Structures are given as C-alpha cells and as structure tokens.
Amino acid sequence: MSQATITAPVALATGAPDDLAAVEGFLARFFDEQVGRAGTHGPSYRQLWSAARDAASGGKRIRPRLLLAAHRAYAGTSGPDPDHAAVAAAAAFELLHTAFLMHDDVIDHDEVRRGRPNVTGRFAAIARAGGANARSARDFGEASAILAGDLLISAAHRLVAGLDVPEARRAALLDLVDECVFLAAAGEHADVRFALEGTPAAGEILAMVEHKTASYSFSAPLQAGALLAGAGGVAVGRLGDIGRDLGVAFQLRDDVLGVFGEEALTGKTAIGDLREGKQTLLVAHASTDASWSVVAGDFGRADLDEARAAAIRSVIVASGALERVERLIAARCRAAVELASASGLPAGLADELAATARACGERDR
C-alpha cells in the first residue's frame, strides 16, 4: 500500500459521552487538589503538578472509553450517571498512561509531545531562562519528568486501592494494575535494548508491542471494567485476548503513521522514527530484503533529510514490508472482531469492540 492510500480519519469507538465527561471531571478535581497541595511546598513543585495536569489533558481517552464500556455492559447499566468506582478506575488508567508517556519521552530524549513542550521541555526551558547551560537544563527537565511520572504511577495505585468495592475485586484490580506496570516496563526495556542490538526478529517486536502497549492500553482497561462489574474469570480472560489483538493493531498502525502519516493529522513528523532508528515491524521486514542495504546507512541518522527519508520509505514499500504489516493489522483486527462475536459478550459490547477494531486498523492519526 502506498502512502497515498492511507485511510481517512476515523474516531476510536466506545464510551458514552456522560461517562467521559465524568472522567474529565474526576481528573480535573484530582489535579486541582494536587496542584493546591503542592503549592505549600513552593512554586516550582506547584509548576511540576501543573505540568503533569497539562500532560494528562487531551488525547483519545482510549483506556477510559474501553473500561467504562466493559463496565456498563457487564453491570447492565444504561442510565446517564456512570458508576463512581468505574470512573475512578478509568481515571487511574489515564494517569498511568500519562506517566508512561512522560517516562517514554525521557528515554527518547524528546521535549515535545502532541505538538507542545512536554514536562521535560517545559522545565528545561525554565532552567535555560534561569541561566543554566544546555546539559544542566536537560538534566533538570528530565528529572522533573521522571518525578512527575513516578507521582502519577503512585496516584494510579492509590486510586485503585481506595475504590469502594468488595475486597476481592479491589485486590484483583490492584493485581491488574501491577501487571500493567510490570509488562510495560518489560516492553520499554526491550524497545531500548533493540536500539543497541540492531534489528530484532519480528516475533520479538510483536512481544514488545504486546507488553508495552496492548497490555495497559487495551487488555487491562477492558478487564478492569468487567472485574468491577463482577464478571467471571472466563469473560475477563477473553477480554484480555481481544484487547491484545486490538492493541497490537493499534500500535502497528501507529508505526505505519510514524513513517507514512501526514504531520497535519498525526501531530508528529513522518521523519522522526527514521531519524531515531526506531525498530518496528516495518523495518524488521524491510531489512530482510537486499534493497535495504542501499538505505541502511541512512536509517537512524540524526541529520536524515527528506530526500533520504523518501528513499527509505520507497524501500519499505518495494520490499513488501508495508504490505505485510498492513495484512497483519487487518488480521489482528479481524481476530478481535471474531473473538468478540464468539465470546458471548453482553449485548452491545461486541459491536462496540468491532467498531474499535475498525478504528484501530483505519485511523490516520
């Protein structure tokens, strides 16, 4: 598939508007409280919490949508008011996601996220404005982002630990959150290791994607919503499998957009992953073709220009790598839909997950 055939925009599905508004309200109150609390420890710490609040704003809210959709389906609720415990759990997953993004930006030495300075960038700028040299400013910015991420991971655990639900459900949810952090760290560590060791095998990349993205972004939110509603172990396990397929499809599409996407839509340049030398399934497949040797020396160059980037893209397409990844995205989406249909999910949830699968496969941002 060529760059020109990337599909039109589509919104990720699931989640009632009232539910999402409740999550936004919960997060606003949480950050207002923390910013106010931090103010008693000086203006810089207050700025840190303000930056964390800004980092948590915006985004697709995938995790809250999935969690609340699963909870409504298994709880059998259809009224306008969402369950308070489900809203708090949904907010916890969004805090976890924000924390992982902060830490990921530190690892990647990025100072911009969603087209604006991230926590690292904001505090590095503050340090530079105060007269710090470039190295000291970056150190301060990255230390600030690490601390902000740590605070949000702790807050996510605290929110789940404080849920007013039966003890067995709360314990299961805490185990689920703990596993999310455990797997995400494993995936992130593998991702960094790949940069040292060269192009990994396709199976290694898929395992990294499942750990780093699919587990906490798709599988766990679906499972958490079902657990909160009292669903049984079989249903929770199936939702985990469905989420795994959805998460892999979502991340593989993200990798395609990172090389072939339109910056006006994605909010990030289509040359950044190539300059970084990001080891994706696209690269793993392309690197097995003889034509890769022509562009291999340019892949990962910090000074990569658009002409050389275009040459790399051409090799990815000509080698069949893009087509292979597109086929896998379609297969994972299809597997998620088929499993959702065959799993005896509550009325409406299978349809919502099918819509989410289509969005994961077709999105252009």
Side-chain angles (χ1 to χ4, degrees), residues 13 336-337 340 349-359:
V337 172
L349 184 57
D351 291 339
E352 290 193 77
L353 293 177
T356 299
R358 288 193 297 273

Side-chain angles (χ1 to χ4, degrees), residues 24-47:
E24 296 295 347
F26 187 101
L27 288 170
R29 291 189 298 274
F30 167 80
F31 279 110
D32 283 348
E33 178 182 342
Q34 298 306 313
V35 170
R37 180 184 174 197
T40 64
H41 298 279
S44 183
Y45 194 45
R46 182 185 178 93
Q47 284 179 316

Side-chain angles (χ1 to χ4, degrees), residues 92-113:
F93 274 95
E94 200 61 20
L95 293 179
L96 205 61
H97 170 57
T98 303
F100 290 162
L101 292 183
M102 290 175 180
H103 287 171
D104 193 58
D105 284 349
V106 172
I107 291 168
D108 293 341
H109 303 296
D110 288 335
E111 294 193 9
V112 176
R113 167 75 62 173

Side-chain angles (χ1 to χ4, degrees), residues 289-349:
D289 191 88
S291 61
W292 181 254
S293 63
V294 178
V295 297
D298 291 327
F299 180 66
R301 285 184 56 166
D303 62 348
L304 182 72
D305 58 25
E306 183 51 46
R308 289 190 175 96
I312 296 174
R313 293 189 195 102
S314 294
V315 169
I316 291 174
V317 173
S319 68
L322 178 58
E323 183 181 356
R324 291 176 69 180
V325 172
E326 289 289 352
R327 286 202 303 266
L328 183 56
I329 292 171
R332 287 288 192 147
C333 290
R334 186 166 56 250
V337 172
E338 291 173 354
L339 185 54
S341 177
S343 295
L345 301 182
L349 184 57

Side-chain angles (χ1 to χ4, degrees), residues 205-227:
I205 292 177
L206 287 174
M208 179 271 292
V209 168
E210 289 184 4
H211 293 156
K212 183 179 174 181
T213 301
S215 62
Y216 89 90
S217 290
F218 289 85
S219 293
L222 285 170
Q223 292 176 306
L227 279 170

Side-chain angles (χ1 to χ4, degrees), residues 235-287:
V236 171
R238 286 173 178 167
L239 286 172
D241 293 337
I242 294 168
R244 188 176 304 111
D245 284 323
L246 292 174
V248 169
F250 181 90
Q251 183 58 52
L252 292 181
R253 172 59 65 211
D254 203 62
D255 291 341
V256 170
L257 293 175
V259 177
F260 294 96
E262 296 181 32
E263 185 174 353
L265 295 176
T266 64
K268 65 178 183 179
T269 174
I271 202 172
D273 286 357
L274 299 177
R275 284 176 175 161
E276 178 189 331
K278 185 176 180 182
Q279 299 292 343
T280 66
L281 200 59
L282 285 171
V283 174
H285 289 324
S287 65

